Amino acid sequence: MSDESCSGSSPYNGQIGLRVGGIFIILCTSAAGTLFPIISRRSRLRVPEWAFNGMKWFGSGIIVATAFIHLLAPAFDALSSPCLGGAWKEYDWAPAIAMASVFGIFFVELVATRAGASFLKKRGLRHHDPHHSRGNEVGHTGHGSHPPAKAVTTALAEEGAAIAPVKSIVTIRTVEQEEEEETAIGSDLEAAGDGAKKDIEAGHEGHVHGHAHSHHDVSDEEDDYLHDSAVAQCIGVAILEFGVIFHSFVIGLTLAVTDNIGPLLAVLTFHQTFEGVGLGSRLSMLRLPRKYNFVPFVAGVIYSCTTPLGIAVGLGIRETYNPDSTAASIVSGVLDATSAGILLWAGLVECLAHDFVFDRQMADASNGEVTYAVMSVFTGAGLMALLGRWA
């Protein structure tokens, strides 16, 4: 790379009208992709469960592909730029920063889980692992499950699908309530014949199944418990946002000054829309008390405005900003690597592992249902990876 490329000169070549139009184009499309899953889950608009789950799994694939193709790869390029010297040349900083980011999110989730368990224990409530529940009593919250009678589900920190990097879910019940329920069910089964047993079990499963498709209706008792976890969940949302908005801001800056504005604008429009679907599908799964139901909408709006804001700022400094300069390469490389680590954890652990490996509903699903879920993931990842060919 020449010294001129590393200097402060800008590649801006005019076409101000198209660049300004890009602000509104990306704002509208990214908002549509992000807010639709949230609105459909929290309003009278009833999207079929299979379609909503497909959207959620599609978003999981998008998150994973974004981490690898749109964040980690550019971080390698930026932090290995010929414009950089000194310590930047002596070590592969991109994977190191991404690894540190993964362990940082791991530590946050570990602390959140332990703090939540301690909080519940002090109040005589029992910490419950959602991946080892008895029977089908509790499904993973990634499927929008609703707690059964005499149980309250509290999400200490969650991100999504899709999407959340912090997702420590516990089901809480008083010890006395659990013992009473176990005793009552055991007595009923012992006193009943085989036919009655089947009726009792079928009725119990049907009760839970009916709740599993409820769209975040929160009772007063549950609302009180969810209120205690709202701060932790909001922190989870903030971390999830951190994983995508800085990259979105940087590509907005680039779009404002690039000399290839037409093709790049078209690709980034699809990029931001698909990424919004991935983020929105995970935000829609957050279980919050009614007074905090606005949080997913605010998070979605913030994401939608990030790239347009980057374009606007880039237009303000279009005569001096050079995305290939030394300072720009360092800043964008570090932010991309950090964001890649966050989304790698969110995509691989919180989305794929929780939704496919540990989830009881997925373990009991038919081969057709599993195939549909996996193909949804592959479709999202494939489309996002394909966009990496141009942006």
Side-chain angles (χ1 to χ4, degrees), residues 98-147:
M99 180 186 70
S101 179
V102 168
F103 280 115
I105 297 301
F106 160 74
F107 180 75
V108 169
E109 178 162 358
L110 178 63
V111 171
T113 301
R114 292 182 60 84
S118 176
F119 175 86
L120 299 176
K121 184 177 180 181
K122 290 178 181 179
R123 286 155 179 78
L125 301 170
R126 179 174 297 180
H127 181 283
H128 187 80
D129 184 355
H131 304 311
H132 295 86
S133 56
R134 292 179 290 112
N136 289 323
E137 183 178 330
V138 180
H140 194 279
T141 53
H143 295 276
S145 59
H146 192 81

Side-chain angles (χ1 to χ4, degrees), residues 136-297:
N136 289 323
E137 183 178 330
V138 180
H140 194 279
T141 53
H143 295 276
S145 59
H146 192 81
K150 300 183 180 179
V152 180
T153 300
T154 298
L156 289 175
E158 181 175 26
E159 97 325 306
I163 126 51
V166 181
K167 188 178 183 183
S168 303
I169 311 298
V170 295
T171 298
I172 57 176
R173 64 174 69 218
T174 63
V175 177
E176 292 80 2
Q177 286 176 327
E178 187 165 282
E179 289 176 349
E180 289 176 4
E181 183 175 323
E182 290 174 351
T183 301
I185 293 175
S187 299
D188 289 340
L189 291 175
E190 289 177 2
D194 292 338
K197 287 183 181 180
K198 292 179 180 179
D199 292 340
I200 293 172
E201 292 171 353
H204 179 67
E205 291 177 358
H207 174 72
V208 176
H209 180 75
H211 280 289
H213 291 81
S214 63
H215 290 253
H216 294 274
D217 295 327
V218 181
S219 66
D220 292 337
E221 181 183 10
E222 184 182 353
D223 190 75
D224 292 337
Y225 283 113
L226 289 175
H227 185 276
D228 293 332
S229 72
V231 174
Q233 289 193 77
C234 290
I235 292 174
V237 171
I239 294 174
L240 178 62
E241 288 279 303
F242 184 87
V244 294
I245 63 173
F246 286 104
H247 169 66
S248 298
F249 183 81
V250 171
I251 63 177
L253 288 174
T254 303
L255 188 62
V257 300
T258 182
D259 56 1
N260 192 29
I261 176 64
L264 187 60
L265 174 60
V267 173
L268 290 181
T269 299
F270 285 103
H271 175 283
Q272 292 304 105
T273 302
F274 289 152
E275 196 170 88
V277 171
L279 177 63
S281 62
R282 291 293 156 178
L283 290 174
S284 68
M285 304 309 299
L286 287 178
R287 293 185 56 78
L288 295 166
R290 285 168 296 210
K291 66 181 294 186
Y292 293 109
N293 275 341
F294 68 90
V295 171
F297 292 95

